[in-house]
Amino acid sequence: MLKPNKEKLQKVLARVGLGSRREIEQWISVGRLKVNHVIATLGDRVGLEDKVELDGRLVRLQGEADIPQKVIIYHKPAGEVCSRHDPEGRPSVFDAFPKMRGKRWILIGRLDFNTSGLLLATTDGELANRLMHPSSEIEREYAVRIVGRMDVHVAERLKRGVKLDDGPARFDDIRDAGGEGVNHWYHVILREGRNREVRRLFESQNLKVSRLIRVRFGAVTLPRYLRIAQCKEMDKKEVSELLASVGLKVFDSDRKKTFFRDEEPEISRRKTVNKQKPTTELLTLKKRPPFKKNTYRKAHPLKKRDYKS
């Protein structure tokens, strides 16, 4: 159930998996949402009893305990976009995600077209918001291959901070990961998710990034066995630890279960059992052959006896 006091519209809709809070706020701004037949505004609060419409279609509101808390790890290849529909027709990461009935995947941090590596997606909008919110300061670790080597003074400058177009930015840590020939690898850590931030930081020092891979997001590391363009669903223990790391609860709801489209729901055994079981006597009677009159006499006719008077 929702909390007694109503919650913000974008929070409730993000929870049911319609999109991230930021996306839903944009929908509210352009008038795509209505609450009780009135165009919604930023700051509106709703409860389960309210009627919410998106583009004229009714949205089913759900409480926290009714939302399936699923998280998947995807090894994104370079050359895929992190949007559901691309005007240029490029492949999307959502094409590789498991399809679900009545739910949508929400990305936890995006990667640009030419960046590969760890990408997380969830059905829990509140989890996505907690992990992406700047106040959480979740660490993001990248493996970066550049042309040439980085000078010690440049590395120190990048850790102190440089000014970009959208404000100052810096790396929390830079580690040399070796390399051969012209290319050299570094591992960098930062706590923001701005667009192309890693590439722009290196470009500010006239360093060209030839390859960029995200290898860690918070406590989640890209599994070595997970191949490019493959997904892995996190088990209950992993999801519980991820939720606990951002102060969220784990809800176990037995009332509803979300199935993937390629899965078949388990049929309850109770439905297949006959309520009125035949008794042993009835089963025995059914096995007996039907009685036929004079069957014995026809099979074994009695011989006529001659009686002498």
Side-chain angles (χ1 to χ4, degrees), residues 151-294:
D151 187 77
V152 178
H153 301 292
V154 173
E156 289 298 324
R157 196 179 304 130
L158 288 173
K159 287 193 285 186
R160 284 197 307 267
V162 296
K163 190 174 181 180
L164 301 178
D165 296 338
D166 54 353
R170 70 182 185 89
F171 291 124
D172 287 83
D173 190 27
I174 301 175
R175 290 184 289 107
D176 192 323
E180 295 180 357
V182 180
N183 296 313
H184 204 83
W185 284 94
Y186 294 90
H187 276 235
V188 298
I189 296 174
L190 73 167
R191 297 174 183 269
E192 292 181 319
R194 284 187 271 174
N195 185 34
R196 299 184 69 255
E197 188 172 4
V198 175
R199 294 181 186 274
R200 289 188 294 146
L201 277 166
F202 278 96
E203 288 169 2
S204 71
Q205 307 303 307
N206 298 317
L207 295 171
K208 184 180 179 181
V209 175
S210 59
R211 194 171 177 190
L212 183 60
I213 307 168
R214 183 157 68 190
V215 295
R216 182 170 64 87
F217 191 100
V220 183
T221 305
L222 182 66
R224 291 183 177 272
Y225 60 84
L226 192 65
R227 296 182 180 180
I228 293 177
Q230 282 189 341
C231 282
K232 171 192 176 294
E233 184 179 357
M234 295 177 69
D235 59 35
K236 288 183 178 180
K237 183 181 178 182
E238 293 170 330
V239 174
S240 299
E241 291 174 354
L242 186 61
L243 289 163
S245 69
V246 290
L248 292 176
K249 297 179 182 179
V250 181
F251 294 98
D252 294 322
S253 178
D254 297 330
R255 289 176 292 171
K256 296 177 183 178
K257 182 178 179 181
T258 301
F259 298 98
F260 293 133
R261 286 184 186 172
D262 55 351
E263 291 180 351
E264 290 296 332
E266 296 178 2
I267 300 173
S268 176
R269 292 183 179 180
R270 293 179 182 177
K271 294 181 181 178
T272 59
V273 177
N274 253 338
K275 290 183 180 179
Q276 296 179 350
K277 293 184 179 180
T279 60
T280 309
E281 294 179 2
L282 288 173
L283 288 172
T284 309
L285 288 172
K286 285 182 180 179
K287 291 180 181 179
R288 291 177 182 174
F291 177 77
K292 293 182 181 179
K293 191 177 180 181
N294 296 330

